[in-house]
Amino acid sequence: MTARTVFTVATLTVKEATRRRVLLALVALTVVLLAVSAFGFSRIDATFGGLTTGEARLAAAIVLNLVMFGLSLTAALGTAFLAGPTLAGETETGIALAVLARPVRRSAVLLGKWLGLVTFGSGFVAVAGLAQLLIVRTTTGYWPPRPVTGLALLAAQAAVLLTLGLLLSTAVSPMASGIVAVGLFGATWIGGVVGAFGEALGNESVARIGTVSRMLLPTDGLWRGAMNAFQDPTLLIQFQEAFKGHPFLSEAALTPTYLAWTGLWIALALGLAAVSFQRRDL
């Protein structure tokens, strides 16, 4: 019964997400981003004529990561502002009371909504990310070495953020949960950039800022793993100096330990959300 409830709620959540105006905003932002990136990639060779093969790959990798960051930011905004209304909004309007008056566990409803949002976010990242990679291949001939890994890490980043959004929505209003989630996403990314500069300068104290921020909220760590997956591995050998402190280049792939920590972080945050939702008055 619980598994069926989870699946039913997940299906309804996906359908609800596709009907929200947030989806229209996501589609509009994504189309604009893809159109601008297509023009930009088509102008790389004309603007920087005479590039060597290695330099052309480096330029393509940097611009690709820059555009993928825009895509990840769009996904972050969408998932954060979808997670809040799907739980806190229903609680405030009384819809949740009508559903939970039946013999339905709150934990099952929460898990179903989380699963539905993860499915929606992963689908968005897969479609938009693949479209972007095809644009890069068509305009520059560049194809990243591990595209599936990169897109999977971007989907995991969206999953982390929507889990955070769900957790916040059990305690605050839908708008506040979205704002706080996106704010933490931005703060973590800035912390990662500061930490990268600290590593480049050999300053351990500054570098520790990035390490701590990536542990508290894994979004930036997953983003850096995705950047590494979208880069040609030979670039690190040819242009090692360019990687030091660069916000859109990543020197190392993610370790299994960090991926395990990300999974544990999601489980802990989802568990806290379940406890908070269980205690919340409807």
Side-chain angles (χ1 to χ4, degrees), residues 123-251:
F124 169 78
V125 169
V127 173
L130 180 59
Q132 180 59 67
L133 293 178
L134 290 175
I135 287 174
V136 175
R137 179 63 178 268
T138 303
T139 55
T140 67
Y142 178 76
W143 186 255
R146 292 177 292 141
V148 175
T149 299
L151 293 179
L153 291 175
L154 289 183
Q157 182 190 58
V160 168
L161 199 63
L162 69 85
T163 305
L164 175 63
L166 278 179
L167 172 60
L168 293 171
S169 69
T170 62
V172 297
S173 67
M175 182 62 70
S177 65
I179 292 174
V180 173
V182 174
L184 291 175
F185 171 83
T188 304
W189 182 75
I190 293 174
V193 173
V194 172
F197 277 115
E199 292 176 3
L201 298 174
N203 190 320
E204 294 184 2
S205 298
V206 177
R208 196 173 294 116
I209 295 175
T211 302
V212 173
S213 65
R214 286 192 287 271
M215 295 301 294
L216 293 177
L217 184 62
T219 50
D220 185 65
L222 293 169
W223 160 241
R224 292 187 173 277
M227 284 198 298
N228 183 267
F230 292 136
Q231 296 165 186
D232 189 324
T234 60
L235 296 178
L236 183 59
I237 301 174
Q238 292 180 272
F239 305 97
Q240 189 171 8
E241 292 299 320
F243 280 75
K244 293 183 178 180
H246 200 291
F248 295 109
L249 292 172
S250 179
E251 292 186 46

Side-chain angles (χ1 to χ4, degrees), residues 5-95:
T5 300
V6 171
F7 178 77
T8 301
V9 173
T11 303
L12 292 174
T13 301
V14 172
K15 291 180 179 179
E16 180 188 4
T18 58
R19 290 196 298 264
R20 288 186 179 274
R21 293 183 178 180
V22 174
L23 177 61
L24 296 177
L26 278 175
V27 172
L29 287 173
T30 303
V31 169
V32 171
L33 179 64
L34 292 176
V36 172
S37 68
F39 175 78
F41 277 108
S42 66
R43 299 295 299 171
I44 287 180
D45 187 61
T47 304
F48 303 100
L51 292 178
T52 65
T53 303
E55 291 171 339
R57 288 202 308 271
L58 178 63
I62 292 175
V63 179
L64 174 60
N65 283 342
L66 174 62
V67 175
M68 283 300 187
F69 178 76
L71 176 63
S72 71
L73 179 59
T74 302
L77 289 169
T79 54
F81 283 99
L82 277 174
T86 194
L87 192 62
E90 292 182 1
T91 302
E92 292 181 354
T93 58
I95 297 177

Side-chain angles (χ1 to χ4, degrees), residues 250-262:
S250 179
E251 292 186 46
L254 292 184
T255 63
T257 302
Y258 189 82
L259 292 175
W261 163 245
T262 300

